[in-house]
Amino acid sequence: MATETTEATAGACVDAGGSAIGMPQLCADWMPNQIFWLVISLIVIYFVMSRIALPRIGAVLAERSGTITNDLAKAEDLKLQAVEAEAAYEKALADARTEASKIVAEARAAIQSDLDAELAKADEKISAQTAESEKAIAEIRASAADSIKTVAKDVAKSLVSAMGGTADAKTVTAAVTAKMKG
């Protein structure tokens, strides 16, 4: 009798050799049994997912969200620190430039005062040398004028003698002095 029940149940979906006719999933005699096990499987999957998997996934998502929020807060703090550091750097750079400008101005002033002092010394030396040169030139001119007078007197005496005349020293001196004045 057990074989009759099996044969009766499987008769519409199985042939005499025990092979399925067509696709067993689509056999209308087996559909209620397949639906029952589908519902049982879905209920088990639902309870496993809702009680075990989804809470773990939710915990991981919450942890990630918390980590992201904390990282964003840390990044914002670091950004503020970077802005403050940049402002401090800019201030230090401006102060350094100001200090460098002061140092350069002081150095220029010191160099200019040294240069002015050296120029004053050089001007004094040049003035002293110019005065000495002018004095020497005046002496040379005076001696040249005296030498010219002497030479002119000697030439005049020689010319008068060569021409056959006699020249006294007073006449020659008067003539040379008159000619030299203009």
Side-chain angles (χ1 to χ4, degrees):
M1 194 165 193
T3 54
E4 290 178 9
T5 315
T6 308
E7 287 179 12
T9 310
C13 297
V14 179
D15 63 6
S19 299
I21 300 172
M23 291 180 62
Q25 302 92 318
L26 299 178
C27 181
D29 293 340
W30 292 352
M31 284 279 182
N33 190 23
Q34 289 178 358
I35 292 173
F36 171 76
W37 286 110
L38 176 67
V39 169
I40 296 294
S41 298
L42 288 177
I43 290 172
V44 169
I45 290 173
Y46 172 77
F47 280 113
V48 168
M49 291 296 288
S50 67
R51 302 280 189 241
I52 297 170
L54 290 178
R56 288 182 184 173
I57 292 172
V60 169
L61 290 177
E63 183 182 342
R64 282 187 182 177
S65 176
T67 302
I68 291 171
T69 304
N70 290 340
D71 288 346
L72 288 176
K74 285 180 185 177
E76 189 65 32
D77 289 342
L78 291 175
K79 182 179 177 183
L80 290 174
Q81 290 175 358
V83 168
E84 291 171 0
E86 183 180 12
Y89 169 75
E90 292 295 331
K91 184 182 181 302
L93 188 61
D95 292 344
R97 284 184 180 152
T98 303
E99 186 66 28
S101 296
K102 284 181 186 178
I103 291 170
V104 167
E106 290 172 2
R108 281 186 182 163
I111 290 171
Q112 188 63 40
S113 66
D114 290 345
L115 181 64
D116 291 344
E118 291 297 320
L119 283 175
K121 287 180 185 178
D123 286 344
E124 289 175 15
K125 286 181 181 179
I126 290 171
S127 297
Q129 288 178 353
T130 302
E132 288 177 15
S133 298
E134 287 176 357
K135 190 183 210 183
I137 290 172
E139 289 175 4
I140 292 171
R141 280 187 181 165
S143 67
D146 289 342
S147 298
I148 290 174
K149 281 184 183 180
T150 306
V151 170
K153 287 179 189 176
D154 290 341
V155 170
K157 284 183 187 177
S158 298
L159 282 176
V160 170
S161 303
M163 297 277 242
T166 59
D168 64 64
K170 284 187 181 182
T171 309
V172 172
T173 302
V176 168
T177 305
K179 281 294 181 184
M180 286 186 74
K181 285 185 181 177

